[in-house]
Amino acid sequence: MGSSSALAAPIRPPRAVVRGEISWGLLSALDRRGLGPVAGVDEAGRGACAGPLVVAACVLKPGDAARLAELTDSKLLTALARDRVYDRVIARALDYSIVVIPAAEVDLLGIHVMNIEGMRRAVAGLKTCPGYVLTDGFKVPGLPAPSLAVIKGDRAVACVAAASVLAKVTRDRIMSDLHGEHPVYGFDVHKGYTTTEHGAALTEYGPSAVHRWSYTNVATAAAAHGRRPPHKVMLTVAALGQLESSARALEDVVSQNEGSAVGYRSNSRGGARIS
């Protein structure tokens, strides 16, 4: 290949081989190449059916990863260890940003859309302009700096692991507070994820205002209790299919002028809007 082609090639981060249980090679390699400061981005609550989605971005000081004892993917830590790491990251990080996206926003546009938007918001909230952004798992378009999606980044990149801890601890504390407002669901235990106990509570009591009404299990429970969502909701095709039989039994809340269930309007994005 000629020199002109080499000059035209885009700048890419160096490849890093991750060995052992924990290696922060990619982050240090980017810093050594002058591509920093590097921001790591991760979320907590994507798979939950209640509570907010929380997204964090974190910029660590060069070489500081080795000084953060216990730092790893937040899901691998106990609650007490996460709290310790959270405090250390808050105290030592060069910069960080935490974004809380309520369930109503997730319902309005969908979890994937809001996950990507949350990552953009978290990076935009940094006071330090990153030279490079590393995201956990998938690409995020529209970031203000070059970026790279890292598979299992919360186990391979220190700043992504730090962001995962910030997001997880923040969300867990929110869910513990929500337990005080809605004690019948057990948010303090399962944090809004779909467990057997959570499913039983949904079946018995129906969903609360902080549930994600666009999720199939929540929409099904709402239909069984004859309840309409407290905000606009974009239902998935799967949720609509699940609700058909339930909705037929709720003739008193179904508009006779609409062909879909409980006032749902079809949408070109493959779901339906409840207004």
Side-chain angles (χ1 to χ4, degrees), residues 13-156:
R15 297 184 67 181
V17 178
V18 179
R19 297 185 178 91
E21 292 184 1
I22 291 294
S23 171
W24 304 133
L26 180 55
L27 176 57
S28 59
L30 287 168
D31 283 330
R32 287 197 306 271
R33 296 292 181 91
L35 296 176
V38 181
V41 189
D42 202 3
E43 53 76 25
R46 179 183 174 91
C49 66
L53 174 71
V54 178
V55 187
C58 186
V59 180
L60 298 176
K61 300 171 186 174
D64 225 20
R67 301 183 181 93
L68 289 166
E70 301 181 280
L71 178 62
T72 185
D73 174 7
S74 63
K75 296 184 290 296
L76 301 179
L77 297 170
T78 66
L80 288 176
R82 278 195 299 269
D83 284 341
R84 288 194 298 268
V85 175
Y86 176 92
D87 291 340
R88 290 168 187 151
V89 170
I90 292 293
R92 297 194 63 90
L94 181 64
D95 197 3
Y96 67 90
S97 169
I98 302 172
V99 173
V100 178
I101 298 172
E105 280 195 72
V106 173
D107 282 337
L108 184 62
L109 294 175
I111 186 62
H112 184 66
V113 170
M114 291 315 303
N115 201 358
I116 290 176
E117 173 60 19
M119 290 187 171
R120 293 193 193 108
R121 292 180 190 176
V123 174
L126 293 170
K127 298 181 181 67
T128 302
C129 183
Y132 221 95
V133 178
L134 299 176
T135 59
D136 183 41
F138 53 87
K139 288 188 65 176
V140 178
L143 293 173
S147 64
L148 179 70
V150 182
I151 302 301
K152 294 189 176 178
D154 46 11
R155 303 187 189 187

Side-chain angles (χ1 to χ4, degrees), residues 122-246:
V123 174
L126 293 170
K127 298 181 181 67
T128 302
C129 183
Y132 221 95
V133 178
L134 299 176
T135 59
D136 183 41
F138 53 87
K139 288 188 65 176
V140 178
L143 293 173
S147 64
L148 179 70
V150 182
I151 302 301
K152 294 189 176 178
D154 46 11
R155 303 187 189 187
V157 183
C159 55
V160 177
S164 79
V165 171
L166 294 181
K168 173 68 173 167
V169 171
T170 298
R171 188 177 186 280
D172 283 358
R173 291 174 180 178
I174 291 172
M175 296 310 296
S176 292
D177 289 342
L178 288 177
H179 172 71
E181 301 174 22
H182 308 277
V184 297
Y185 298 102
F187 290 149
D188 59 329
V189 177
H190 53 66
K191 310 304 185 202
Y193 287 89
T194 306
T195 63
T196 301
E197 293 76 12
H198 192 182
L202 268 174
T203 299
E204 182 173 356
Y205 302 106
S208 70
V210 298
H211 276 89
R212 298 178 187 174
W213 291 64
S214 57
Y215 281 40
T216 302
N217 60 330
V218 178
T220 301
H225 284 263
R227 295 183 191 169
R228 296 177 63 87
H231 47 253
K232 289 185 177 181
V233 172
M234 176 70 72
L235 281 176
T236 64
V237 172
L240 282 171
Q242 186 74 19
L243 285 173
E244 278 188 1
S245 58
S246 299

